[in-house]
Structures are given as structure tokens and as C-alpha cells.
């Protein structure tokens, strides 16, 4: 079985290093992001099994990051914050957090909560196939990183796969051009809308999607794109 992946989203580099070292000591694969936009990109690309998410971060705070993650996927989120009032904790859970830890915290408690959330995720997955998205005659296997259309494995480049994954995990919701570019290509290319148009064209062709009457990828004028609701 694949080693569990844990994404730590923390702008305090010293604390992030301590957490990641502790996670590796438990045998987990440790991923890292320093802000919300980077977290969305890593979550879409690497599909972690759990996300440890700070609240107070630059550019995109943890609450909004959590909301967007939960729109994309059911990955459990352990929120950690120096904001410790009851209202702060409630806001965290309202944003979609599965658990909330107040800073400062001990690594022993953090590790225990991580293990508990991963056990709960494994139980909820049951005997089926976790990490498989189905939409009409299209199936996206997140663990195997492959797409199957009408029983045929699609020949997708890594960029096409990331784009399809980003859209399918937000199926039924309009995703802005800037967010797609940031998630799939990174913040440095958030203004390069031409990149996205070209790859949308490539992906539609491989999905057999007619641009004028699409089955899967719909253009939302002035916003971006929306994958059809399941």
C-alpha cells in the first residue's frame, strides 16, 4: 500500500520543518506549502491523504483555503492556529475543518490527531476504491493518475492530467482562469491565459468534447471554466 501523504501548510518555516520531520519519523510522506495558493496547487497535483493547515497566512488565509479544498475533494483537514477563542474554532469548523488544534501544541498531540484522522479516512473509504472520481462515462483514478473514457485509458500529458484533475474535483462549480493557472502551472503563470486556452483545447479533443456543445468542459464567460456536474 502507498505510504500516507501529509501536506503541511505553514508559513513559519521553522515550525513547518519540525512538523515535517516528525511526520517523516512516523513513516509518512511529507509534503509542504507556505501559503494557501501553493496548498491548492499541491493538493490538486499530489492528492495528499491529510492536510495540516495554518489559519493566519499571507495571500490566502487558511479559512478560505480550507473552503476551496473542501469544494475540490474530501481530504481531511487538521487546522492549527494561534487564534484560540471559541469563535475562531467555530469559524474553522464552519470552513470545513475536520479537526482544530490551538497553538502552541505538542508534537505528540499533533501526531495522535494525524493518526486518528487517517484512520477515520481509511474506515470511510470502505472496501471500495478511494480516490476515484466518476462523471458520466469518464473515470479519473487519482491514485493511479490516469483517466478512463468509455473503458479506454486516455493518453494525457502530465499537464493535461493536472488540468483535468483540477476541473473534475470542482465539478459543478465555475473555476476562475486565475485559480486554474495557479493550481496547474503555479503562481508565476497566473496571467498567462493563453496557456490555459491551448490546454483546454487539447483536453477537449481527447475527451471528444465539442467546443460549441460540450459534454464535459463548459466555458463560463468572464470567469473561467466549469466541468459538468456528476
Amino acid at each position: 500500500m502507498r505510504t500516507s501523504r501529509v501536506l503541511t501548510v505553514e508559513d513559519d518555516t521553522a515550525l513547518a520543518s519540525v512538523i515535517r520531520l516528525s511526520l517523516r519519523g512516523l513513516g509518512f510522506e511529507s509534503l509542504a506549502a507556505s501559503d494557501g495558493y501553493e496548498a491548492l496547487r499541491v493538493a490538486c497535483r499530489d492528492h495528499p491523504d491529510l492536510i495540516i493547515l495554518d489559519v493566519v497566512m499571507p495571500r490566502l488565509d487558511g479559512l478560505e483555503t480550507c473552503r476551496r479544498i473542501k469544494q475540490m475533494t474530501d481530504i481531511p483537514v487538521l487546522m492549527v492556529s494561534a487564534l484560540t477563542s471559541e469563535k475562531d474554532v467555530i469559524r474553522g469548523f464552519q470552513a470545513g475543518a475536520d479537526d482544530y488544534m490551538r497553538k502552541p501544541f505538542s508534537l505528540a498531540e499533533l501526531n495522535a490527531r494525524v493518526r486518528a484522522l487517517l484512520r477515520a479516512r481509511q474506515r470511510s473509504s470502505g472496501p471500495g476504491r478511494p480516490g476515484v472520481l466518476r462523471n458520466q462515462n469518464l473515470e479519473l483514478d487519482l491514485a493511479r493518475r490516469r483517466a478512463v473514457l468509455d473503458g479506454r485509458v486516455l493518453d494525457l500529458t502530465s499537464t493535461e492530467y493536472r488540468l483535468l484533475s483540477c476541473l473534475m474535483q470542482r465539478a459543478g462549480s465555475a473555476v476562475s482562469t486565475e485559480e486554474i493557472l495557479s493550481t496547474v502551472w503555479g503562481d508565476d503563470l497566473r496571467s498567462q491565459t493563453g496557456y490555459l486556452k491551448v490546454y483546454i483545447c487539447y483536453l477537449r479533443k481527447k475527451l471528444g468534447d465539442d467546443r460549441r456543445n460540450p459534454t464535459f468542459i463548459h466555458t463560463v464567460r468572464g470567469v473561467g471554466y466549469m466541468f459538468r456536474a456528476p
Side-chain angles (χ1 to χ4, degrees):
M1 294 181 65
R2 176 175 66 82
T3 302
S4 293
R5 292 175 179 160
V6 181
L7 168 60
T8 301
V9 188
E10 172 64 64
D11 64 325
D12 182 332
T13 55
L15 178 58
S17 296
V18 170
I19 293 174
R20 295 189 66 201
L21 183 62
S22 177
L23 293 171
R24 286 196 292 267
L26 295 175
F28 299 135
E29 181 180 347
S30 182
L31 309 173
S34 59
D35 62 56
Y37 286 116
E38 187 181 4
L40 294 172
R41 185 166 65 251
V42 174
C44 182
R45 183 190 67 202
D46 295 328
H47 313 295
D49 301 288
L50 174 72
I51 297 175
I52 300 172
L53 179 63
D54 189 21
V55 174
V56 181
M57 294 185 297
R59 302 174 64 214
L60 189 69
D61 68 30
L63 296 175
E64 182 59 25
T65 301
C66 186
R67 291 188 191 99
R68 297 191 189 190
I69 286 170
K70 290 300 186 176
Q71 288 175 339
M72 292 166 46
T73 180
D74 62 350
I75 298 171
V77 174
L78 170 57
M79 196 168 280
V80 295
S81 178
L83 303 176
T84 59
S85 72
E86 182 180 27
K87 288 183 179 180
D88 292 322
V89 176
I90 291 172
R91 289 192 192 100
F93 283 115
Q94 288 175 337
D98 297 270
D99 198 358
Y100 193 104
M101 280 188 67
R102 296 174 172 90
K103 291 180 179 180
F105 52 80
S106 70
L107 287 177
E109 181 182 1
L110 176 70
N111 293 341
R113 292 186 187 232
V114 166
R115 286 190 177 114
L117 287 170
L118 288 173
R119 284 197 302 268
R121 178 174 173 80
Q122 290 168 357
R123 286 196 299 269
S124 66
S125 296
R129 295 171 61 195
V132 176
L133 304 178
R134 294 181 180 86
N135 198 317
Q136 201 166 295
N137 56 337
L138 176 65
E139 180 180 285
L140 185 69
D141 190 326
L142 301 177
R144 297 181 181 180
R145 296 179 66 83
R146 72 176 189 178
V148 180
L149 180 65
D150 288 327
R152 175 176 59 88
V153 177
L154 296 179
D155 181 19
L156 300 180
T157 66
S158 59
T159 301
E160 290 166 349
Y161 171 83
R162 292 197 304 273
L163 176 57
L164 178 61
S165 176
C166 175
L167 292 173
M168 280 192 72
Q169 292 188 76
R170 296 282 298 276
S173 300
V175 188
S176 72
T177 297
E178 293 77 11
E179 184 171 345
I180 297 172
L181 283 165
S182 176
T183 300
V184 178
W185 281 275
D187 291 336
D188 292 341
L189 296 178
R190 289 182 69 193
S191 62
Q192 302 299 318
T193 57
Y195 277 51
L196 181 55
K197 290 179 181 178
V198 169
Y199 274 92
I200 287 289
C201 181
Y202 290 160
L203 193 54
R204 277 176 168 159
K205 185 175 182 180
K206 292 185 177 182
L207 292 173
D209 232 1
D210 183 347
R211 179 178 62 83
R212 290 164 294 185
N213 186 27
T215 299
F216 294 110
I217 303 174
H218 298 264
T219 301
V220 183
R221 293 190 181 278
V223 179
Y225 297 92
M226 180 176 69
F227 208 86
R228 75 179 297 276

